[in-house]
Amino acid sequence: MKTDAFALRHIGPRENDLEHMLKTIGAATLDQVIHETIPSDIRLKSDLDLEPAMTEYEFANHIQKLGNKNKVFQSYIGLGYNAAIIPAVIQRNVFENPGWYTAYTPYQAEIAQGRLEAILNFQTMVIELTGMEIANASLLDEGTAAAEAMALLFDVRSRDQKKNNINKFFVSEEILPQTLSVLQTRSTPIGVELVVGNYETFDFSSEYFGAILQYPGKFGQVHDYTAFIAKAAKNEIKVAVAADILSLAKLTPPGEMGAAVVLGTTQRFGIPLGYGGPHAAYFATKEEYKRSMPGRIIGVTVDTDGNRALRMALQTREQHIKRDKATSNICTAQVLLSVMAGMYAVYHGPKGLQYIANKVHASAATLANELEKLGLQQTNTAFFDTIVIKANAQKVKAIAEQNEINFYYIDENTISISLNETTSIGDLNKIIAVFASAKGTQATTIDSLSETNHFPENVNRTSTFLQHDVFNKHHSETALMRYIKMLERKDLALNHSMISLGSCTMKLNAASEMLPLSMAQWNNIHPFAPLDQAQGYQEMLAKLEQQLNVITGFSGTTLQPNSGAQGEYAGLMVIRAYHQSRGDHQRNIALIPSSAHGTNPASAAMAGMKVVVTKTLENGNIDVEDLREKAILHKDNLSCLMVTYPSTHGVFESAIKEITQLIHDNGGQVYMDGANMNAQVGLTNPATIGADVCHLNLHKTFAIPHGGGGPGVGPICVAPQLVPFLPTNPVIPTGGENAITAISAAPWGSALVCLISYGYICMLGGEGLKQSTEYAILNANYIKEKLNGHYDTLYSGEMGRAAHEMILECRPFKEKGIEVTDIAKRLMDYGFHAPTVSFPVAGTLMIEPTESENLEELDRFCDAMIAIRKEIEAATLDNPNNVLKNAPHTLMMVTTDTWNFPYTREAAAFPLEYIAENKFWPTVRRADEAYGDRNLVCSCAPIEAYMEN
């Protein structure tokens, strides 16, 4: 046993399990299984050209040395990114804790109550600080949140505005530059015209439906927007405000000024800079816009017994329901980061946040005073944390960098300095010394901070916030540690048992991949730091792009999209730019099979394309003749085909090369959805099947944690003709020579978590990556055969094999009164998270075990499914009082004095012998979705609820 081989630790089945597993599925060798699964004409003819696999120890040393090439300067660059202190209790118990980072999106509410409460805290924090009525469970970053605000305001235009095609959107010239770039990307395809200007000279014309303002402005100026928003409202113009959330502990909330949407980032609430991400954006709006709000909302409801329960609310807004009518393609948030930001607010409470905000502002005020004493002009008339100094930028920059300090240099005579929570009096003295040296004068030394507010009284916050119990009782480390642990125990994550979600791939997030995220050399770099200070990052990101090029067979990669849905959008926008560069502006038809992910049609609509749905056959494959007919019909306007491979039904379609050629013959490009790329790596690739672009879910195929619903990274890899159009960034240029504008805010998206995928690839190497794919396919087919005779598999390949996932038919069980949801809930009693429910086929379960699950876990899962099948047989349509309809069974339910069920407590809670050894108890019974949507509550109870009568 080669104990230093990472593949040995990553791949679950042991060598001596292989013979038994192959015998079960009726194959002589693993090669035979792969031959019977993947069509031979798309198999790779050679091994992946990657460097030999590193051991975990070698990778640890390598990543440390690479990290040492990054220079961790004190960065006062600002522009929406500020150094923050991560409370150690949150770093250790959330950020570094697999109980939190290996959890899945909380679709199964009964086994996600802890995470749901943590996100509810986040929503409450956002609502209270912004002065708004409703908030969602986080978005991807500030730039994309601003784009979502624009789309929401466009969607909720008045009837007359829609009738008259009112499409102008005013953007304050004080908006962050990266936000403006994302707005430019997102506005054009949907027909919104951006007008950038000075808010003080805006004419409130009836041609505008909305506006966005920055608060404070990009270089720190604080304005009172109350009059502007009131005048806009009179002219039917709704206003969004991008606000620094820490400043709202001191400044009047935009909600109190009348804003329709407030958005921003929560990065400075205890989230590392990480060279740009991942960071949780926030988004808050008015109750009346709740059905147009993007992303997820956590709401309060009751369970079967009438007890309080939490769940994801208003699910009819999700893309798989609305498809091309969706206003957004968002299917991910940044949940792990929003949990951290919410815990930061819980730990510090309202007084703590006010203390931190006061200290930051006092630091900025003190620095402004001292620099003015040196004879330098500070131009902001009102500010929170950022001042603007008139000085010789070239001279200051040279001295500052010698002292390992970064400022933002607006022009040759203007310097912006953004202070933060980490700034000490010693740091202020260093800054003062830099400017004194540049001016050739003696620096003064300060030993205390100014107490003066440098903004007018009318923007001084007077309203209270965060008076709820949860924000006022966990301020010691012991208290917060126990609160976090209490919530963690309510959640079933990958550290407890297999999460066999089809299409959502819950891979192992190996500890050796995760450790670098806590290293200061990696998590303390500002995304707009000079490139020579981020050489470790530049090497790592370039190498990761090259590795992904090799794996996909493509020529170029951008890591900027920070979710799979963003990757879809990026791929389509690059295709759009390619067609336009050739004068084919009319090419706007996207062919999408009816079995596609719901985000596919939503992304196409957002990219300004018209969706034409193509049929699928009874066996789940694309109807090639229908596709041919529609490709030829639309050949003059065909932009692309969006195809998932292997298919959403878990099958490698043998006609794939014919399909891609058909699209090319009619002038289109092929976009391959990379959701199932983990069945391709090392065995085939998108280039080989004839695709032109694919997005990759790094949180699926390449082992980034799901984190309860994010972080995600969705890079796109492209063929040579699309490389010139890869996206750029306005502050740090990236992408191709004809780059489209930004897809997300940071130049390399969520760069910090790219370390995980880099480690995954480096430690597996080409052979290990191939083995991982082979064992993923083996594990899936093992489950398929073990369950054969108990459950029918809906679709199989031409030789009877599943790919890496399969769909189990559950619809006939309705004759017994059993729905697929009952199976999902009953699995909780057996200690398992349900597979994917009712996607892509209603009334079915989609199972994907991944390569990391060992034989014992696969057998436990199969035993549970077989036991449930027997329970289904015992059920009757006329008597719903059975173990399936009543699942899940909570500890309180099983230990109560009264037991009015026709089965034993043991059958309810311990139906198989292995369960008693490691019992997981759901903390609530079934959540009542309808009740929660009728009585929508998306924040903690008001303070009155905690008061004694």
Side-chain angles (χ1 to χ4, degrees):
M1 188 168 78
K2 195 176 177 185
T3 58
D4 59 356
F6 177 71
L8 177 79
R9 310 305 188 184
H10 174 76
I11 295 171
R14 303 293 84 189
E15 193 175 341
N16 56 2
D17 296 329
L18 189 57
E19 184 180 350
H20 165 73
M21 295 177 75
L22 290 170
K23 184 177 179 182
T24 301
I25 68 175
T29 64
L30 188 51
D31 283 343
Q32 181 188 338
V33 178
I34 302 307
H35 171 74
E36 292 172 351
T37 304
I38 303 178
S40 58
D41 67 330
I42 62 167
R43 288 288 302 276
L44 296 182
K45 302 297 185 281
S46 57
D47 294 333
L48 294 175
D49 184 18
L50 296 170
E51 292 177 6
M54 296 181 188
T55 67
E56 293 184 70
Y57 181 72
E58 286 169 343
F59 177 73
N61 287 327
H62 165 72
I63 211 69
Q64 182 74 54
K65 288 176 184 173
L66 202 55
N68 289 339
K69 293 185 179 182
N70 294 323
K71 301 172 185 174
V72 184
F73 283 19
Q74 291 277 30
S75 281
Y76 306 107
I77 296 168
L79 293 183
Y81 300 96
N82 298 275
I85 296 170
I86 312 170
V89 62
I90 296 174
Q91 177 169 326
R92 175 59 58 89
N93 292 287
V94 178
F95 188 57
E96 298 173 346
N97 182 352
W100 287 92
Y101 67 69
T102 70
Y104 180 57
T105 309
Y107 285 114
Q108 297 293 329
E110 297 81 4
I111 51 175
Q113 289 296 298
R115 207 163 350 111
L116 289 165
E117 181 171 326
I119 306 168
L120 191 76
N121 292 343
F122 173 86
Q123 289 179 180
T124 304
M125 170 192 87
V126 170
I127 290 167
E128 298 262 318
L129 285 168
T130 60
M132 298 302 286
E133 296 169 356
I134 190 169
N136 67 17
S138 82
L139 293 181
L140 298 169
D141 60 27
E142 182 165 333
T144 53
E148 297 296 344
M150 174 185 69
L152 180 147
L153 297 182
F154 192 53
D155 185 52
V156 301
R157 288 173 297 166
S158 69
R159 186 175 299 172
D160 282 348
Q161 286 176 325
K162 289 179 179 177
K163 180 181 171 184
N164 295 316
N165 195 29
I166 301 303
N167 72 335
K168 285 189 177 181
F169 188 67
F170 175 75
V171 182
S172 166
E173 63 192 9
E174 294 189 57
I175 203 82
L176 297 173
Q178 66 272 23
T179 298
L180 176 58
S181 189
V182 175
L183 286 170
Q184 288 166 336
T185 306
R186 294 278 284 270
S187 60
T188 307
I190 62 172
V192 170
E193 181 184 342
L194 297 186
V195 179
V196 182
N198 185 331
Y199 92 98
E200 293 176 308
T201 58
F202 180 57
D203 64 2
F204 300 94
S205 157
S206 61
E207 296 177 341
Y208 291 85
F209 69 88
I212 187 167
L213 308 169
Q214 191 82 41
Y215 183 64
K218 64 182 174 182
F219 300 132
Q221 179 68 41
V222 172
H223 300 284
D224 181 359
Y225 291 128
T226 306
F228 177 94
I229 294 172
K231 192 169 182 182
K234 284 183 182 175
N235 291 274
E236 285 197 277
I237 299 170
K238 299 177 181 70
V239 180
V241 178
D244 178 331
I245 197 163
L246 182 62
S247 76
L248 302 184
K250 277 190 76 69
L251 301 178
T252 301
E256 293 177 16
M257 296 179 180
V261 181
V262 188
L263 61 105
T265 176
T266 59
Q267 178 266 313
R268 66 191 311 175
F269 275 24
I271 311 297
L273 285 166
Y275 206 44
H279 305 141
Y282 72 85
F283 191 102
T285 187
K286 295 181 176 181
E287 186 92 15
E288 64 190 282
Y289 305 140
K290 64 190 176 189
R291 294 193 180 272
S292 295
M293 186 159 67
R296 300 180 176 130
I297 307 171
I298 306 309
V300 181
T301 187
V302 294
D303 73 358
T304 303
D305 291 335
N307 296 319
R308 179 180 182 269
L310 305 174
R311 92 289 180 234
M312 288 166 59
L314 300 177
Q315 288 307 287
T316 52
R317 302 169 319 113
E318 290 271 319
Q319 298 75 10
H320 60 267
I321 306 285
K322 288 188 172 181
R323 296 178 71 80
D324 58 319
K325 299 295 188 291
T327 55
S328 167
N329 68 350
I330 285 184
C331 64
T332 48
Q334 300 280 28
V335 171
L336 183 68
L337 297 312
S338 65
V339 167
M340 290 175 66
M343 288 299 177
Y344 181 93
V346 169
Y347 195 41
H348 291 302
K351 291 180 181 176
L353 293 181
Q354 285 173 323
Y355 167 79
I356 293 164
N358 285 333
K359 179 173 174 282
V360 169
H361 179 65
S363 297
T366 303
L367 182 60
N369 293 342
E370 294 303 315
L371 294 182
E372 285 174 342
K373 288 178 187 176
L374 290 176
L376 297 165
Q377 182 188 2
Q378 196 287 120
T379 61
N380 279 343
T381 56
F383 57 83
F384 168 63
D385 65 352
T386 301
I387 61 175
V388 175
I389 302 296
K390 289 293 183 181
N392 184 322
Q394 190 174 1
K395 193 178 282 188
V396 169
K397 187 171 190 276
I399 298 168
E401 291 186 353
Q402 285 173 7
N403 287 275
E404 300 189 341
I405 293 172
N406 290 325
F407 304 126
Y408 187 72
Y409 302 94
I410 299 171
D411 58 42
E412 60 187 16
N413 296 308
T414 317
I415 302 165
S416 168
I417 308 171
S418 292
L419 303 179
N420 58 69
E421 180 189 8
T422 72
T423 307
S424 66
I425 288 175
D427 295 329
L428 294 176
N429 282 320
K430 287 179 187 174
I431 296 170
I432 295 163
V434 166
F435 281 90
S437 176
K439 209 165 183 296
T441 62
Q442 186 67 37
T444 55
T445 301
I446 60 166
D447 56 14
S448 62
L449 298 178
S450 164
E451 297 295 324
T452 312
N453 271 0
H454 276 251
F455 47 81
E457 188 65 29
N458 58 331
V459 293
N460 195 37
R461 180 168 192 142
T462 57
S463 55
T464 58
F465 59 92
L466 302 186
Q467 300 302 297
H468 316 77
D469 196 38
V470 70
F471 297 106
N472 291 279
K473 70 177 201 178
H474 302 297
H475 298 163
S476 74
E477 179 166 335
T478 307
L480 187 68
M481 176 178 67
R482 289 173 181 160
Y483 177 61
I484 293 171
K485 189 65 181 178
M486 183 264 289
L487 296 185
E488 182 194 338
R489 284 200 305 268
K490 295 181 178 185
D491 282 16
L492 194 153
L494 202 65
N495 63 339
H496 182 275
S497 59
M498 175 170 73
I499 300 179
S500 59
L501 288 153
S503 190
C504 291
T505 315
M506 295 293 292
K507 274 187 188 271
L508 168 72
N509 317 124
S512 52
E513 298 158 5
M514 301 294 293
L515 287 173
L517 274 62
S518 294
M519 295 178 180
Q521 305 99 306
W522 292 108
N523 67 25
N524 265 348
I525 308 292
H526 193 287
F528 300 143
L531 290 180
D532 64 359
Q533 294 174 25
Q535 284 306 295
Y537 259 117
Q538 290 300 307
E539 283 188 36
M540 183 273 290
L541 295 169
K543 186 64 179 291
L544 178 58
E545 289 177 1
Q546 182 262 331
Q547 290 168 333
L548 296 177
N549 288 342
V550 169
I551 289 165
T552 58
F554 282 139
S555 299
T557 293
T558 175
L559 297 166
Q560 194 177 112
N562 46 11
S563 81
Q566 292 290 95
E568 285 180 27
Y569 180 69
L572 294 175
M573 290 299 287
V574 164
I575 288 173
R576 180 177 181 271
Y578 165 74
H579 285 312
Q580 292 189 345
S581 75
R582 294 156 55 89
D584 287 340
H585 296 270
Q586 82 287 356
R587 290 196 173 275
N588 69 341
I589 299 289
L591 299 180
I592 302 179
S594 59
S595 61
H597 287 91
T599 50
N600 287 181
S603 296
M606 285 171 57
M609 296 180 186
K610 182 182 175 185
V611 174
V612 173
V613 177
T614 68
K615 296 176 184 174
T616 50
L617 300 171
E618 281 190 22
N619 65 3
N621 291 352
I622 290 172
D623 184 332
V624 178
E625 290 315 307
D626 183 62
L627 181 71
R628 187 188 315 279
E629 181 183 313
K630 286 170 178 168
I632 292 169
L633 176 66
H634 297 291
K635 67 181 190 308
D636 294 335
N637 299 317
L638 181 61
S639 175
C640 64
L641 166 73
M642 298 186 78
V643 61
T644 302
Y645 199 75
S647 75
T648 314
H649 296 134
V651 174
F652 282 93
E653 297 180 45
S654 58
I656 189 64
K657 292 182 86 169
E658 180 187 355
I659 288 167
T660 57
Q661 188 60 51
L662 181 59
I663 300 304
H664 290 147
D665 289 347
N666 289 281
Q669 297 280 287
V670 176
Y671 166 90
M672 193 202 88
D673 186 312
N676 294 335
M677 186 67 197
N678 41 304
Q680 290 194 37
V681 178
L683 300 176
T684 183
N685 63 35
T688 298
I689 71 168
D692 300 289
V693 54
C694 76
H695 91 267
L696 302 171
N697 297 93
L698 295 194
H699 49 289
K700 294 183 182 182
T701 306
F702 296 98
I704 284 176
H706 279 66
V713 178
I716 58 169
C717 306
V718 298
Q721 74 274 15
L722 299 180
V723 171
F725 307 101
L726 293 175
T728 188
N729 179 277
V731 183
I732 306 283
T734 61
E737 58 199 45
N738 298 313
I740 62 172
T741 44
I743 291 295
S744 56
W748 287 275
S750 294
L752 181 65
V753 287
C754 286
L755 283 163
I756 301 165
S757 298
Y758 177 68
Y760 174 83
I761 295 169
C762 286
M763 287 186 284
L764 280 174
E767 184 58 33
L769 288 168
K770 180 182 174 184
Q771 281 184 336
S772 294
T773 308
E774 290 172 335
Y775 274 89
I777 291 170
L778 174 69
N779 282 359
N781 280 283
Y782 179 77
I783 288 179
K784 177 175 177 284
E785 293 305 321
K786 285 274 286 189
L787 297 182
N788 188 26
H790 304 282
Y791 298 87
D792 291 334
T793 301
L794 209 50
Y795 306 108
S796 297
E798 291 175 4
M799 296 190 188
R801 299 294 182 200
H804 62 308
E805 60 190 4
M806 80 217 72
I807 299 174
L808 297 189
E809 175 65 275
C810 299
R811 289 169 292 188
F813 305 148
K814 291 183 183 221
E815 295 176 3
K816 297 278 188 177
I818 302 301
E819 303 286 343
V820 67
T821 304
D822 300 321
I823 302 173
K825 303 307 181 189
R826 181 58 173 154
L827 268 169
M828 298 174 189
D829 291 329
Y830 286 83
F832 285 104
H833 193 293
T836 304
V837 176
S838 290
F839 176 83
V841 181
T844 65
L845 288 175
M846 191 181 198
I847 297 174
E848 179 182 352
T850 85
E851 67 275 12
S852 294
E853 299 302 339
N854 60 24
L855 179 59
E856 292 78 11
E857 188 72 352
L858 299 176
D859 283 340
R860 270 193 291 271
F861 176 76
C862 290
D863 289 346
M865 289 296 293
I866 292 166
I868 289 172
R869 183 69 181 86
K870 291 173 182 173
E871 292 171 350
I872 294 170
E873 281 305 303
T876 58
L877 186 61
D878 58 354
N879 184 12
N881 187 12
N882 61 56
V883 73
L884 286 145
K885 301 302 277 188
N886 292 325
H889 297 81
T890 63
L891 179 62
M892 183 179 293
M893 180 183 177
V894 171
T895 56
T896 188
D897 290 342
T898 307
W899 183 258
N900 296 320
F901 302 104
Y903 49 87
T904 66
R905 297 173 198 257
E906 183 179 24
F910 302 101
L912 289 176
E913 192 175 331
Y914 74 83
I915 297 169
E917 188 179 327
N918 188 29
K919 175 66 180 174
F920 178 87
W921 290 101
T923 48
V924 297
R925 295 189 66 193
R926 286 197 203 187
D928 187 330
E929 305 285 350
Y931 176 91
D933 285 351
R934 286 195 309 272
N935 304 277
L936 189 64
V937 177
C938 299
S939 63
C940 299
I943 189 64
E944 290 76 20
Y946 299 103
M947 294 179 178
E948 293 182 13
N949 294 328

